Amino acid sequence: MDTHNVVALPVVSRVAVCGGTHGNELSGVYLVRERLKRREDGTEPVSVVTLMSNPRAVQLCVRYVETDLNRCFTRAALSAPVSEDSPYEMIRSRELNALLGPKGSVQAVDLLCDLHNTTANTGLCLITHSDCDWIALHICKHLQREMSSTPVRYVHFDLPLDEAYSLDSVGKHGFAMEVGPQPHGLVRSGIFSAMQEGVQLMLDWIWQFNSGTLFEGGSVDIFTMVKNIDYPRDPQTHMITAAVHPDLQDRDFCLLHPGEPMFLSFSGETLRYRGKEALYPFFINEAAYYEKGVALSLARKRRVEIPSVRSDTQR
Amino acid sequence: MDTHNVVALPVVSRVAVCGGTHGNELSGVYLVRERLKRREDGTEPVSVVTLMSNPRAVQLCVRYVETDLNRCFTRAALSAPVSEDSPYEMIRSRELNALLGPKGSVQAVDLLCDLHNTTANTGLCLITHSDCDWIALHICKHLQREMSSTPVRYVHFDLPLDEAYSLDSVGKHGFAMEVGPQPHGLVRSGIFSAMQEGVQLMLDWIWQFNSGTLFEGGSVDIFTMVKNIDYPRDPQTHMITAAVHPDLQDRDFCLLHPGEPMFLSFSGETLRYRGKEALYPFFINEAAYYEKGVALSLARKRRVEIPSVRSDTQR
């Protein structure tokens, strides 16, 4: 191997694993509780801060109490004035930013993994605002290699750091680890196990990376979010008038072609995808996005080459 | 056929179809909205009162606002004093009882069908407190005959009318029509369609019955609820420590034998069913029952013979 093409990167010393950012996404909630129970047993190869992001929402088993915590981490939101009358999640986002960030600073944790569940049939996705975070991309490759029964994908929301709104953007590297399908408010053993395996493999990779292992480059498919599609709605009442079509339901990351069925109205009419470009649907029929006017998102897939990496401090 | 063995029953003139008794069970919510939109078109063969049971909970997309409406219809609850400080659902249950009942009276609707969804893989269940309601049992037989792609079952909670707590107990005949699996807070097209088909077949049966059609008797399997099983919990914190085992998840109404896997703990330990009798699990991993301490329910199956029926007024 030509080691001149190896990118040397700082070690990933400080890792945060967060769950309960949405309080009714229970695999992450129980995984964090489980980790907190045994955090002192010293068996983990990497030092990890484990944290319940939104304990009040977890207590009530709701997504959020007053506003969606995972939309509170833009630069603007973090620097807006708050008072004791501000929404709980606005206040909590400052606490988390102080604890794990500040976002964009040298003090921020090296990697922030935020655990999420979706009702959509996504498998395991690493979701982040960056398409050139070699650490995140190498971790994705590692999970793709090692996880036999769960499809693993890299999803990219193309936003500058300042506008990235999610908790994971507080870390120097970071991503949401989104696993589905799981209904909100319950835990399915298979989904919990997939998330547990994903976290363990991530920590294994970090340990190997910090220990000086060289990871060879290669290609990774990146799904970049292009647009959201809302449900058909009644123009007067704004109520939805159709559900996701049975032919599309559960087919996240399967290419959707122009003219293919998208919705089936409650009165039995099929509505088709009217775009001009075949795209990859994801977050199909996510319960939490009804209020956001999103029936599904559409992504473009492209293959990117990532360099070989090793840590610049060989210990 | 020996018509001496035919039971003559009163016509089923007044039918109520209710949805949104739990505000986040969306197939019923959208089905009721759809019915209310086209209620004036006069195409339905039977006169039906269509009703949104808990509009405040529907508005907020939650199961209930202050207390579970579908536990408010015991004789005791309906006759307890209420004030304006009483939980919203206690007050709403009186309104519904006045509109559709009063429970146990001659004024009550002849049949009340209350639409529900569950996160459990139940198919379509008719759930009621009676195991000898020939109307409900004949409707069940009709659905079993006519629905090709959805399993249909009759579930019996053995309670005297006074102690029956659910909205459907307000009608002279009645049942919850429970369809799953569907996560709460979203609608899946296939589940919506199954519910729509179930309601339509029920109304078809009632129309035929009212028209003088003789329905032959036969046998129906009844699943009678025996007991609930809670999740394993931490004795100190009362937090659950295990999820439903992957071998049991989604296997509602498949016989569970003593010694078979029931839970998989978050640390990886399999916990087995310790009962002495093989029973039929149902409501496996229903999200709304975490707070009620129910991981699943167990039923005994028996086959009952039901008589041939016809209406006593041949129109």
Side-chain angles (χ1 to χ4, degrees), chain A residues 30 33-34 119 183 185-189 192 196 239-240 244 246 249-250 264 266 285 290, chain B residues 30 33-34 119 183 186-189 192 196 239-240 244 246 249-250 264 266 285 290:
Chain A
Y30 285 113
R33 283 189 182 141
E34 200 56 27
T119 58
L186 64 78
V187 59
R188 287 179 67 96
S189 194
F192 175 84
Q196 202 171 38
M239 302 273 188
I240 79 169
V244 167
Q249 177 71 53
D250 300 330
L264 183 61
F266 296 132
N285 204 5
Y290 278 59
Chain B
Y30 286 112
R33 283 190 182 141
E34 200 56 28
T119 58
L186 65 80
V187 59
R188 288 178 66 96
S189 194
F192 176 85
Q196 202 171 39
M239 301 277 189
I240 78 169
V244 167
Q249 177 71 53
D250 300 329
L264 183 60
F266 296 131
N285 204 5
Y290 277 59

mmCIF file of all heavy atoms in Angstrom, chain A residues 30 33-34 119 183 185-189 192 196 239-240 244 246 249-250 264 266 285 290, chain B residues 30 33-34 119 183 186-189 192 196 239-240 244 246 249-250 264 266 285 290:
data_model
loop_
_atom_site.group_PDB
_atom_site.id
_atom_site.type_symbol
_atom_site.label_atom_id
_atom_site.label_comp_id
_atom_site.label_asym_id
_atom_site.label_seq_id
_atom_site.Cartn_x
_atom_site.Cartn_y
_atom_site.Cartn_z
ATOM 1 N N TYR A 30 -33.489 2.747 26.107
ATOM 2 C CA TYR A 30 -33.098 1.578 26.903
ATOM 3 C C TYR A 30 -31.617 1.269 26.742
ATOM 4 O O TYR A 30 -30.971 0.795 27.686
ATOM 5 C CB TYR A 30 -33.963 0.362 26.541
ATOM 6 C CG TYR A 30 -35.353 0.504 27.138
ATOM 7 C CD1 TYR A 30 -36.472 0.678 26.343
ATOM 8 C CD2 TYR A 30 -35.517 0.493 28.519
ATOM 9 C CE1 TYR A 30 -37.736 0.834 26.898
ATOM 10 C CE2 TYR A 30 -36.764 0.653 29.080
ATOM 11 C CZ TYR A 30 -37.876 0.823 28.271
ATOM 12 O OH TYR A 30 -39.116 0.990 28.841
ATOM 13 N N ARG A 33 -29.898 3.614 29.147
ATOM 14 C CA ARG A 33 -30.088 3.146 30.530
ATOM 15 C C ARG A 33 -29.197 1.944 30.827
ATOM 16 O O ARG A 33 -28.609 1.850 31.906
ATOM 17 C CB ARG A 33 -31.553 2.751 30.745
ATOM 18 C CG ARG A 33 -32.463 3.937 30.930
ATOM 19 C CD ARG A 33 -33.849 3.481 31.367
ATOM 20 N NE ARG A 33 -34.745 4.628 31.493
ATOM 21 C CZ ARG A 33 -36.016 4.628 31.134
ATOM 22 N NH1 ARG A 33 -36.561 3.538 30.618
ATOM 23 N NH2 ARG A 33 -36.746 5.704 31.293
ATOM 24 N N GLU A 34 -29.126 1.027 29.883
ATOM 25 C CA GLU A 34 -28.319 -0.180 30.047
ATOM 26 C C GLU A 34 -26.835 0.192 30.188
ATOM 27 O O GLU A 34 -26.133 -0.348 31.048
ATOM 28 C CB GLU A 34 -28.539 -1.073 28.809
ATOM 29 C CG GLU A 34 -28.188 -2.519 28.971
ATOM 30 C CD GLU A 34 -28.891 -3.222 30.112
ATOM 31 O OE1 GLU A 34 -29.997 -2.823 30.512
ATOM 32 O OE2 GLU A 34 -28.283 -4.185 30.641
ATOM 33 N N THR A 119 -40.209 4.935 12.544
ATOM 34 C CA THR A 119 -41.236 3.961 12.148
ATOM 35 C C THR A 119 -41.015 3.488 10.710
ATOM 36 O O THR A 119 -41.674 2.544 10.271
ATOM 37 C CB THR A 119 -42.647 4.575 12.249
ATOM 38 O OG1 THR A 119 -42.713 5.747 11.424
ATOM 39 C CG2 THR A 119 -42.976 4.956 13.683
ATOM 40 N N PRO A 183 -42.092 1.116 15.986
ATOM 41 C CA PRO A 183 -43.093 2.099 16.399
ATOM 42 C C PRO A 183 -42.562 2.903 17.593
ATOM 43 O O PRO A 183 -41.788 2.374 18.398
ATOM 44 C CB PRO A 183 -44.293 1.243 16.820
ATOM 45 C CG PRO A 183 -44.112 -0.065 16.114
ATOM 46 C CD PRO A 183 -42.628 -0.270 16.059
ATOM 47 N N GLY A 185 -42.697 4.540 21.242
ATOM 48 C CA GLY A 185 -43.353 4.147 22.483
ATOM 49 C C GLY A 185 -43.253 2.673 22.818
ATOM 50 O O GLY A 185 -43.871 2.209 23.769
ATOM 51 N N LEU A 186 -42.482 1.922 22.041
ATOM 52 C CA LEU A 186 -42.216 0.523 22.387
ATOM 53 C C LEU A 186 -40.823 0.159 21.909
ATOM 54 O O LEU A 186 -40.202 0.901 21.146
ATOM 55 C CB LEU A 186 -43.277 -0.419 21.805
ATOM 56 C CG LEU A 186 -43.427 -0.566 20.293
ATOM 57 C CD1 LEU A 186 -42.363 -1.472 19.684
ATOM 58 C CD2 LEU A 186 -44.803 -1.132 19.968
ATOM 59 N N VAL A 187 -40.338 -0.991 22.387
ATOM 60 C CA VAL A 187 -39.033 -1.461 21.942
ATOM 61 C C VAL A 187 -39.190 -2.844 21.312
ATOM 62 O O VAL A 187 -39.896 -3.697 21.853
ATOM 63 C CB VAL A 187 -37.997 -1.436 23.099
ATOM 64 C CG1 VAL A 187 -38.417 -2.281 24.273
ATOM 65 C CG2 VAL A 187 -36.604 -1.836 22.624
ATOM 66 N N ARG A 188 -38.614 -3.018 20.149
ATOM 67 C CA ARG A 188 -38.588 -4.324 19.492
ATOM 68 C C ARG A 188 -37.185 -4.892 19.648
ATOM 69 O O ARG A 188 -36.185 -4.223 19.331
ATOM 70 C CB ARG A 188 -38.940 -4.197 18.003
ATOM 71 C CG ARG A 188 -40.435 -3.913 17.763
ATOM 72 C CD ARG A 188 -40.735 -3.768 16.293
ATOM 73 N NE ARG A 188 -40.564 -5.010 15.567
ATOM 74 C CZ ARG A 188 -41.551 -5.870 15.266
ATOM 75 N NH1 ARG A 188 -42.792 -5.599 15.626
ATOM 76 N NH2 ARG A 188 -41.303 -6.977 14.599
ATOM 77 N N SER A 189 -37.129 -6.121 20.113
ATOM 78 C CA SER A 189 -35.853 -6.721 20.472
ATOM 79 C C SER A 189 -34.856 -6.697 19.313
ATOM 80 O O SER A 189 -33.681 -6.362 19.496
ATOM 81 C CB SER A 189 -36.092 -8.153 20.954
ATOM 82 O OG SER A 189 -34.955 -8.648 21.589
ATOM 83 N N PHE A 192 -33.549 -3.140 18.842
ATOM 84 C CA PHE A 192 -32.647 -2.822 19.960
ATOM 85 C C PHE A 192 -31.292 -3.489 19.750
ATOM 86 O O PHE A 192 -30.238 -2.863 19.899
ATOM 87 C CB PHE A 192 -33.271 -3.293 21.283
ATOM 88 C CG PHE A 192 -32.362 -3.119 22.467
ATOM 89 C CD1 PHE A 192 -32.301 -1.898 23.129
ATOM 90 C CD2 PHE A 192 -31.564 -4.160 22.911
ATOM 91 C CE1 PHE A 192 -31.446 -1.723 24.219
ATOM 92 C CE2 PHE A 192 -30.703 -3.992 23.999
ATOM 93 C CZ PHE A 192 -30.649 -2.774 24.659
ATOM 94 N N GLN A 196 -27.602 -1.829 19.377
ATOM 95 C CA GLN A 196 -26.546 -2.225 20.314
ATOM 96 C C GLN A 196 -25.301 -2.683 19.543
ATOM 97 O O GLN A 196 -24.181 -2.289 19.864
ATOM 98 C CB GLN A 196 -27.087 -3.365 21.180
ATOM 99 C CG GLN A 196 -26.395 -3.560 22.496
ATOM 100 C CD GLN A 196 -27.145 -4.559 23.365
ATOM 101 O OE1 GLN A 196 -27.669 -5.558 22.874
ATOM 102 N NE2 GLN A 196 -27.207 -4.302 24.644
ATOM 103 N N MET A 239 -56.463 18.506 6.279
ATOM 104 C CA MET A 239 -56.342 17.104 6.723
ATOM 105 C C MET A 239 -55.780 16.254 5.585
ATOM 106 O O MET A 239 -56.075 16.498 4.422
ATOM 107 C CB MET A 239 -57.733 16.537 7.059
ATOM 108 C CG MET A 239 -58.463 17.295 8.115
ATOM 109 S SD MET A 239 -58.017 16.700 9.746
ATOM 110 C CE MET A 239 -59.220 17.621 10.721
ATOM 111 N N ILE A 240 -55.007 15.224 5.950
ATOM 112 C CA ILE A 240 -54.470 14.359 4.907
ATOM 113 C C ILE A 240 -55.595 13.500 4.335
ATOM 114 O O ILE A 240 -56.561 13.155 5.029
ATOM 115 C CB ILE A 240 -53.276 13.511 5.375
ATOM 116 C CG1 ILE A 240 -53.698 12.299 6.193
ATOM 117 C CG2 ILE A 240 -52.262 14.334 6.152
ATOM 118 C CD1 ILE A 240 -52.538 11.338 6.428
ATOM 119 N N VAL A 244 -49.580 6.511 2.463
ATOM 120 C CA VAL A 244 -48.526 6.004 1.577
ATOM 121 C C VAL A 244 -49.044 4.741 0.891
ATOM 122 O O VAL A 244 -49.676 3.885 1.522
ATOM 123 C CB VAL A 244 -47.247 5.705 2.391
ATOM 124 C CG1 VAL A 244 -46.254 4.897 1.566
ATOM 125 C CG2 VAL A 244 -46.605 7.001 2.870
ATOM 126 N N PRO A 246 -49.447 1.106 -0.621
ATOM 127 C CA PRO A 246 -48.887 -0.173 -0.163
ATOM 128 C C PRO A 246 -47.645 -0.610 -0.964
ATOM 129 O O PRO A 246 -46.767 -1.275 -0.416
ATOM 130 C CB PRO A 246 -50.035 -1.172 -0.381
ATOM 131 C CG PRO A 246 -51.269 -0.355 -0.427
ATOM 132 C CD PRO A 246 -50.896 1.023 -0.890
ATOM 133 N N GLN A 249 -44.858 1.666 0.728
ATOM 134 C CA GLN A 249 -44.665 1.469 2.170
ATOM 135 C C GLN A 249 -43.566 0.422 2.422
ATOM 136 O O GLN A 249 -43.575 -0.642 1.797
ATOM 137 C CB GLN A 249 -45.992 1.013 2.791
ATOM 138 C CG GLN A 249 -45.941 0.697 4.274
ATOM 139 C CD GLN A 249 -45.790 1.927 5.145
ATOM 140 O OE1 GLN A 249 -46.550 2.870 5.047
ATOM 141 N NE2 GLN A 249 -44.787 1.913 6.010
ATOM 142 N N ASP A 250 -42.644 0.754 3.304
ATOM 143 C CA ASP A 250 -41.565 -0.151 3.747
ATOM 144 C C ASP A 250 -40.454 -0.332 2.709
ATOM 145 O O ASP A 250 -39.548 -1.131 2.926
ATOM 146 C CB ASP A 250 -42.107 -1.538 4.152
ATOM 147 C CG ASP A 250 -43.107 -1.467 5.291
ATOM 148 O OD1 ASP A 250 -42.979 -0.551 6.125
ATOM 149 O OD2 ASP A 250 -44.021 -2.310 5.358
ATOM 150 N N LEU A 264 -52.173 6.126 -1.738
ATOM 151 C CA LEU A 264 -53.499 5.575 -2.021
ATOM 152 C C LEU A 264 -54.483 6.389 -1.176
ATOM 153 O O LEU A 264 -54.380 6.405 0.061
ATOM 154 C CB LEU A 264 -53.560 4.087 -1.652
ATOM 155 C CG LEU A 264 -54.871 3.368 -1.954
ATOM 156 C CD1 LEU A 264 -55.207 3.393 -3.448
ATOM 157 C CD2 LEU A 264 -54.812 1.911 -1.457
ATOM 158 N N PHE A 266 -57.877 7.725 0.718
ATOM 159 C CA PHE A 266 -58.810 6.990 1.572
ATOM 160 C C PHE A 266 -60.062 6.581 0.809
ATOM 161 O O PHE A 266 -60.805 5.707 1.245
ATOM 162 C CB PHE A 266 -59.157 7.815 2.809
ATOM 163 C CG PHE A 266 -57.964 8.078 3.691
ATOM 164 C CD1 PHE A 266 -57.674 9.347 4.162
ATOM 165 C CD2 PHE A 266 -57.107 7.040 4.045
ATOM 166 C CE1 PHE A 266 -56.568 9.587 4.969
ATOM 167 C CE2 PHE A 266 -55.997 7.263 4.855
ATOM 168 C CZ PHE A 266 -55.726 8.536 5.313
ATOM 169 N N ASN A 285 -43.373 7.323 5.674
ATOM 170 C CA ASN A 285 -44.418 7.175 6.701
ATOM 171 C C ASN A 285 -43.855 7.171 8.119
ATOM 172 O O ASN A 285 -44.230 6.328 8.945
ATOM 173 C CB ASN A 285 -45.250 5.909 6.437
ATOM 174 C CG ASN A 285 -46.650 5.991 7.049
ATOM 175 O OD1 ASN A 285 -47.045 7.022 7.595
ATOM 176 N ND2 ASN A 285 -47.392 4.916 6.979
ATOM 177 N N TYR A 290 -45.689 13.607 10.399
ATOM 178 C CA TYR A 290 -47.020 14.060 9.983
ATOM 179 C C TYR A 290 -47.176 15.546 10.300
ATOM 180 O O TYR A 290 -47.653 16.320 9.482
ATOM 181 C CB TYR A 290 -48.125 13.245 10.690
ATOM 182 C CG TYR A 290 -48.438 11.902 10.054
ATOM 183 C CD1 TYR A 290 -47.456 10.925 9.912
ATOM 184 C CD2 TYR A 290 -49.717 11.596 9.601
ATOM 185 C CE1 TYR A 290 -47.744 9.700 9.332
ATOM 186 C CE2 TYR A 290 -50.019 10.369 9.022
ATOM 187 C CZ TYR A 290 -49.036 9.424 8.897
ATOM 188 O OH TYR A 290 -49.320 8.211 8.321
ATOM 189 N N TYR B 30 -59.183 8.235 10.570
ATOM 190 C CA TYR B 30 -59.368 8.614 9.167
ATOM 191 C C TYR B 30 -60.604 7.956 8.571
ATOM 192 O O TYR B 30 -61.270 8.535 7.723
ATOM 193 C CB TYR B 30 -58.104 8.311 8.350
ATOM 194 C CG TYR B 30 -57.004 9.312 8.644
ATOM 195 C CD1 TYR B 30 -55.850 8.951 9.309
ATOM 196 C CD2 TYR B 30 -57.171 10.650 8.295
ATOM 197 C CE1 TYR B 30 -54.867 9.887 9.602
ATOM 198 C CE2 TYR B 30 -56.203 11.598 8.584
ATOM 199 C CZ TYR B 30 -55.048 11.208 9.234
ATOM 200 O OH TYR B 30 -54.094 12.149 9.529
ATOM 201 N N ARG B 33 -63.482 10.124 9.675
ATOM 202 C CA ARG B 33 -63.485 11.385 8.899
ATOM 203 C C ARG B 33 -64.006 11.151 7.488
ATOM 204 O O ARG B 33 -64.776 11.955 6.959
ATOM 205 C CB ARG B 33 -62.064 11.952 8.812
ATOM 206 C CG ARG B 33 -61.632 12.635 10.087
ATOM 207 C CD ARG B 33 -60.319 13.386 9.877
ATOM 208 N NE ARG B 33 -59.894 13.992 11.127
ATOM 209 C CZ ARG B 33 -58.636 14.056 11.539
ATOM 210 N NH1 ARG B 33 -57.663 13.544 10.802
ATOM 211 N NH2 ARG B 33 -58.341 14.640 12.692
ATOM 212 N N GLU B 34 -63.557 10.047 6.875
ATOM 213 C CA GLU B 34 -63.976 9.714 5.516
ATOM 214 C C GLU B 34 -65.487 9.469 5.467
ATOM 215 O O GLU B 34 -66.174 9.928 4.557
ATOM 216 C CB GLU B 34 -63.198 8.460 5.076
ATOM 217 C CG GLU B 34 -63.121 8.215 3.613
ATOM 218 C CD GLU B 34 -62.539 9.356 2.798
ATOM 219 O OE1 GLU B 34 -61.712 10.129 3.325
ATOM 220 O OE2 GLU B 34 -62.949 9.481 1.633
ATOM 221 N N THR B 119 -50.429 -1.888 17.955
ATOM 222 C CA THR B 119 -49.088 -2.149 17.414
ATOM 223 C C THR B 119 -48.805 -3.647 17.319
ATOM 224 O O THR B 119 -47.805 -4.032 16.719
ATOM 225 C CB THR B 119 -48.005 -1.503 18.299
ATOM 226 O OG1 THR B 119 -48.120 -2.006 19.623
ATOM 227 C CG2 THR B 119 -48.150 0.016 18.333
ATOM 228 N N PRO B 183 -48.334 1.127 13.892
ATOM 229 C CA PRO B 183 -47.819 2.015 14.944
ATOM 230 C C PRO B 183 -48.833 3.110 15.235
ATOM 231 O O PRO B 183 -49.583 3.528 14.344
ATOM 232 C CB PRO B 183 -46.547 2.615 14.313
ATOM 233 C CG PRO B 183 -46.129 1.644 13.249
ATOM 234 C CD PRO B 183 -47.428 1.094 12.720
ATOM 235 N N LEU B 186 -49.692 7.043 13.086
ATOM 236 C CA LEU B 186 -49.585 7.009 11.625
ATOM 237 C C LEU B 186 -50.642 6.066 11.081
ATOM 238 O O LEU B 186 -51.267 5.313 11.834
ATOM 239 C CB LEU B 186 -48.170 6.613 11.159
ATOM 240 C CG LEU B 186 -47.631 5.216 11.478
ATOM 241 C CD1 LEU B 186 -48.156 4.147 10.509
ATOM 242 C CD2 LEU B 186 -46.105 5.234 11.411
ATOM 243 N N VAL B 187 -50.845 6.135 9.765
ATOM 244 C CA VAL B 187 -51.803 5.225 9.134
ATOM 245 C C VAL B 187 -51.078 4.434 8.053
ATOM 246 O O VAL B 187 -50.303 4.988 7.265
ATOM 247 C CB VAL B 187 -53.043 5.988 8.595
ATOM 248 C CG1 VAL B 187 -52.671 7.043 7.581
ATOM 249 C CG2 VAL B 187 -54.083 5.043 8.019
ATOM 250 N N ARG B 188 -51.264 3.126 8.080
ATOM 251 C CA ARG B 188 -50.722 2.250 7.046
ATOM 252 C C ARG B 188 -51.885 1.868 6.129
ATOM 253 O O ARG B 188 -52.937 1.395 6.598
ATOM 254 C CB ARG B 188 -50.075 0.995 7.644
ATOM 255 C CG ARG B 188 -48.743 1.284 8.342
ATOM 256 C CD ARG B 188 -48.156 0.030 8.959
ATOM 257 N NE ARG B 188 -47.764 -0.945 7.965
ATOM 258 C CZ ARG B 188 -46.520 -1.090 7.484
ATOM 259 N NH1 ARG B 188 -45.545 -0.321 7.924
ATOM 260 N NH2 ARG B 188 -46.252 -2.001 6.573
ATOM 261 N N SER B 189 -51.665 2.023 4.840
ATOM 262 C CA SER B 189 -52.742 1.844 3.882
ATOM 263 C C SER B 189 -53.396 0.465 3.990
ATOM 264 O O SER B 189 -54.612 0.338 3.958
ATOM 265 C CB SER B 189 -52.199 2.078 2.473
ATOM 266 O OG SER B 189 -53.241 2.237 1.570
ATOM 267 N N PHE B 192 -55.578 0.324 7.119
ATOM 268 C CA PHE B 192 -56.777 1.147 6.874
ATOM 269 C C PHE B 192 -57.773 0.399 5.986
ATOM 270 O O PHE B 192 -58.971 0.344 6.282
ATOM 271 C CB PHE B 192 -56.374 2.480 6.219
ATOM 272 C CG PHE B 192 -57.550 3.348 5.843
ATOM 273 C CD1 PHE B 192 -58.131 4.192 6.771
ATOM 274 C CD2 PHE B 192 -58.077 3.304 4.564
ATOM 275 C CE1 PHE B 192 -59.223 4.988 6.430
ATOM 276 C CE2 PHE B 192 -59.175 4.098 4.209
ATOM 277 C CZ PHE B 192 -59.740 4.933 5.154
ATOM 278 N N GLN B 196 -61.591 -0.752 6.757
ATOM 279 C CA GLN B 196 -62.660 -0.290 5.881
ATOM 280 C C GLN B 196 -63.482 -1.480 5.364
ATOM 281 O O GLN B 196 -64.714 -1.453 5.366
ATOM 282 C CB GLN B 196 -62.020 0.459 4.707
ATOM 283 C CG GLN B 196 -62.915 1.424 3.983
ATOM 284 C CD GLN B 196 -62.111 2.271 2.991
ATOM 285 O OE1 GLN B 196 -61.192 1.774 2.327
ATOM 286 N NE2 GLN B 196 -62.454 3.530 2.876
ATOM 287 N N MET B 239 -38.134 -0.053 36.194
ATOM 288 C CA MET B 239 -37.916 0.049 34.743
ATOM 289 C C MET B 239 -37.910 -1.356 34.133
ATOM 290 O O MET B 239 -37.430 -2.301 34.771
ATOM 291 C CB MET B 239 -36.535 0.672 34.454
ATOM 292 C CG MET B 239 -36.331 2.038 35.027
ATOM 293 S SD MET B 239 -37.031 3.292 33.970
ATOM 294 C CE MET B 239 -36.401 4.776 34.766
ATOM 295 N N ILE B 240 -38.382 -1.469 32.886
ATOM 296 C CA ILE B 240 -38.358 -2.777 32.258
ATOM 297 C C ILE B 240 -36.917 -3.136 31.889
ATOM 298 O O ILE B 240 -36.096 -2.261 31.604
ATOM 299 C CB ILE B 240 -39.298 -2.875 31.032
ATOM 300 C CG1 ILE B 240 -38.737 -2.224 29.786
ATOM 301 C CG2 ILE B 240 -40.667 -2.299 31.364
ATOM 302 C CD1 ILE B 240 -39.549 -2.553 28.546
ATOM 303 N N VAL B 244 -39.872 -8.089 24.437
ATOM 304 C CA VAL B 244 -40.470 -9.343 23.960
ATOM 305 C C VAL B 244 -39.437 -10.074 23.099
ATOM 306 O O VAL B 244 -38.741 -9.456 22.281
ATOM 307 C CB VAL B 244 -41.746 -9.047 23.142
ATOM 308 C CG1 VAL B 244 -42.203 -10.280 22.371
ATOM 309 C CG2 VAL B 244 -42.858 -8.541 24.057
ATOM 310 N N PRO B 246 -37.573 -12.078 20.242
ATOM 311 C CA PRO B 246 -37.804 -12.086 18.785
ATOM 312 C C PRO B 246 -38.614 -13.300 18.300
ATOM 313 O O PRO B 246 -39.356 -13.182 17.324
ATOM 314 C CB PRO B 246 -36.385 -12.139 18.200
ATOM 315 C CG PRO B 246 -35.481 -11.623 19.261
ATOM 316 C CD PRO B 246 -36.138 -11.889 20.576
ATOM 317 N N GLN B 249 -42.300 -12.119 19.270
ATOM 318 C CA GLN B 249 -42.767 -10.867 18.643
ATOM 319 C C GLN B 249 -43.519 -11.178 17.350
ATOM 320 O O GLN B 249 -43.039 -11.972 16.526
ATOM 321 C CB GLN B 249 -41.546 -9.979 18.363
ATOM 322 C CG GLN B 249 -41.861 -8.676 17.652
ATOM 323 C CD GLN B 249 -42.583 -7.670 18.531
ATOM 324 O OE1 GLN B 249 -42.131 -7.343 19.622
ATOM 325 N NE2 GLN B 249 -43.722 -7.176 18.067
ATOM 326 N N ASP B 250 -44.681 -10.576 17.190
ATOM 327 C CA ASP B 250 -45.510 -10.682 15.975
ATOM 328 C C ASP B 250 -46.224 -12.025 15.836
ATOM 329 O O ASP B 250 -46.887 -12.256 14.815
ATOM 330 C CB ASP B 250 -44.683 -10.427 14.694
ATOM 331 C CG ASP B 250 -44.060 -9.037 14.690
ATOM 332 O OD1 ASP B 250 -44.672 -8.125 15.264
ATOM 333 O OD2 ASP B 250 -42.967 -8.871 14.120
ATOM 334 N N LEU B 264 -36.342 -11.286 25.878
ATOM 335 C CA LEU B 264 -34.890 -11.247 25.763
ATOM 336 C C LEU B 264 -34.438 -10.004 26.514
ATOM 337 O O LEU B 264 -34.815 -8.883 26.157
ATOM 338 C CB LEU B 264 -34.460 -11.191 24.288
ATOM 339 C CG LEU B 264 -32.955 -11.220 24.007
ATOM 340 C CD1 LEU B 264 -32.287 -12.490 24.540
ATOM 341 C CD2 LEU B 264 -32.691 -11.079 22.505
ATOM 342 N N PHE B 266 -32.175 -6.919 28.044
ATOM 343 C CA PHE B 266 -31.292 -5.978 27.347
ATOM 344 C C PHE B 266 -29.827 -6.392 27.486
ATOM 345 O O PHE B 266 -28.984 -5.938 26.723
ATOM 346 C CB PHE B 266 -31.519 -4.554 27.863
ATOM 347 C CG PHE B 266 -32.905 -4.051 27.576
ATOM 348 C CD1 PHE B 266 -33.684 -3.458 28.560
ATOM 349 C CD2 PHE B 266 -33.457 -4.185 26.298
ATOM 350 C CE1 PHE B 266 -34.972 -3.002 28.290
ATOM 351 C CE2 PHE B 266 -34.745 -3.731 26.018
ATOM 352 C CZ PHE B 266 -35.503 -3.145 27.020
ATOM 353 N N ASN B 285 -46.610 -6.858 22.810
ATOM 354 C CA ASN B 285 -45.844 -5.603 22.651
ATOM 355 C C ASN B 285 -46.707 -4.456 22.110
ATOM 356 O O ASN B 285 -46.288 -3.735 21.201
ATOM 357 C CB ASN B 285 -44.614 -5.844 21.746
ATOM 358 C CG ASN B 285 -43.497 -4.831 21.999
ATOM 359 O OD1 ASN B 285 -43.593 -4.007 22.902
ATOM 360 N ND2 ASN B 285 -42.450 -4.891 21.198
ATOM 361 N N TYR B 290 -47.539 -0.512 27.909
ATOM 362 C CA TYR B 290 -46.345 -0.393 28.773
ATOM 363 C C TYR B 290 -46.752 0.238 30.101
ATOM 364 O O TYR B 290 -46.363 -0.220 31.165
ATOM 365 C CB TYR B 290 -45.263 0.458 28.088
ATOM 366 C CG TYR B 290 -44.396 -0.304 27.094
ATOM 367 C CD1 TYR B 290 -44.958 -0.943 25.998
ATOM 368 C CD2 TYR B 290 -43.021 -0.382 27.244
ATOM 369 C CE1 TYR B 290 -44.177 -1.633 25.084
ATOM 370 C CE2 TYR B 290 -42.214 -1.067 26.336
ATOM 371 C CZ TYR B 290 -42.797 -1.685 25.258
ATOM 372 O OH TYR B 290 -42.019 -2.366 24.355
#
